[in-house]
Amino acid sequence: MTHRLKTMILLLTMSAGMAMAQQPSEAQVRETINQTAATMRSMECDFVQTKHLKLLNDKMVSRGRMYYRQPNQLRWEYTKPYTYTFIINGNQVLVKNQQRSDVIDTNQNKMFKEIARIMMNSVVGKSLSDDKDFRVSISGTSTEWVATLLPQRKDMRQMFERIILHFDKKKNMISTVEMLEKKGDRTVIELKNVRSNVSINSNLFSVR
């Protein structure tokens, strides 16, 4: 083996080692995403939700608008092809469609309280620290971090096989949520035109 070839192999080996060393650990990725979530006072965006139905071999696409404001306000509003609004404001949840609206006290409804908490945490990425509810593994591509959440609680395992959160590497913000259900259906929610730390009208979170 020539000296030149040995030198090339040594340089390649060193370069590969440096590249591996520069890859952040799962703990570092979690910390970075959590820090971004902690500084996010508010967020608004459009969303496209695609529901893949296993039995019908079909998909349903709906669109809408989402608003979030710390510490515990979320408005999830479907606008096409139907109108439906889900609002979380503290311990109260408003569910509203064209026919009726219902206000639910989450302190009196454990299931709704858990759904509300998981939704809020998933929107900003706090689910990565939810060790009691999920076992989390993180992988990466050139453009995103991918967090796979495996439900640990029995009631969650009955609904979901896993939840996958995609984070934009440049912004450390969530861009896509995938929910894989036990029965084989899959829901993909893509967040678009995301704006963070903007002023949001308080009336959007009204449950009255």
Side-chain angles (χ1 to χ4, degrees), residues 40 75 78 121 139 147 163 199 208:
M40 190 185 300
R75 180 186 181 97
Y78 294 91
N121 287 348
S139 60
I163 298 172
S199 178
R208 300 298 179 187

Side-chain angles (χ1 to χ4, degrees), residues 43-79:
M43 182 172 76
E44 64 178 24
C45 67
D46 301 314
F47 69 84
V48 178
Q49 176 179 299
T50 305
K51 176 90 172 182
H52 299 266
L53 303 172
K54 181 181 178 181
L55 291 180
L56 299 179
N57 193 26
D58 196 6
K59 64 181 182 181
M60 298 186 301
V61 179
S62 51
R63 301 174 185 273
R65 188 85 176 152
M66 187 275 288
Y67 303 86
Y68 163 81
R69 190 167 68 176
Q70 283 192 356
N72 50 16
Q73 293 179 318
L74 177 71
R75 180 186 181 97
W76 195 268
E77 182 178 5
Y78 294 91
T79 56

Side-chain angles (χ1 to χ4, degrees), residues 23 138-146 166-167 169:
Q23 290 297 319
I138 299 175
S139 60
T141 69
S142 59
T143 58
E144 66 178 10
W145 298 114
V146 181
H166 298 256
F167 295 87
K169 269 189 174 182

Side-chain angles (χ1 to χ4, degrees), residues 78-188:
Y78 294 91
T79 56
K80 295 180 181 179
Y82 54 85
T83 57
Y84 182 89
T85 304
F86 185 92
I87 298 175
I88 301 171
N89 193 334
N91 292 323
Q92 292 188 309
V93 173
L94 172 69
V95 180
K96 182 180 181 180
N97 57 30
Q98 292 178 320
Q99 285 74 42
R100 58 179 292 177
S101 62
D102 296 292
V103 176
I104 301 163
D105 185 343
T106 60
N107 285 326
Q108 305 298 321
N109 189 312
K110 184 179 178 181
M111 179 58 70
F112 254 94
K113 188 171 186 175
E114 291 303 309
I115 291 173
R117 182 175 62 82
I118 291 169
M119 280 188 66
M120 294 280 285
N121 287 348
S122 295
V123 163
V124 295
K126 292 181 180 179
S127 292
L128 301 189
S129 303
D130 221 345
D131 295 331
K132 292 182 179 180
D133 291 336
F134 301 102
R135 188 169 75 249
V136 181
S137 62
I138 299 175
S139 60
T141 69
S142 59
T143 58
E144 66 178 10
W145 298 114
V146 181
T148 301
L149 284 59
L150 300 179
Q152 298 300 290
R153 296 205 329 260
K154 182 179 179 181
D155 55 346
M156 288 295 294
R157 290 200 306 268
Q158 290 175 343
M159 292 187 291
F160 299 108
E161 180 181 316
R162 62 186 181 276
I163 298 172
I164 303 173
L165 307 179
H166 298 256
F167 295 87
D168 184 300
K169 269 189 174 182
K170 291 182 179 180
K171 299 179 181 179
N172 292 316
M173 289 176 58
I174 196 161
S175 59
T176 305
V177 179
E178 295 183 66
M179 294 176 284
L180 286 77
E181 301 176 26
K182 275 292 186 180
K183 58 183 179 181
D185 291 349
R186 181 168 66 98
T187 301
V188 179

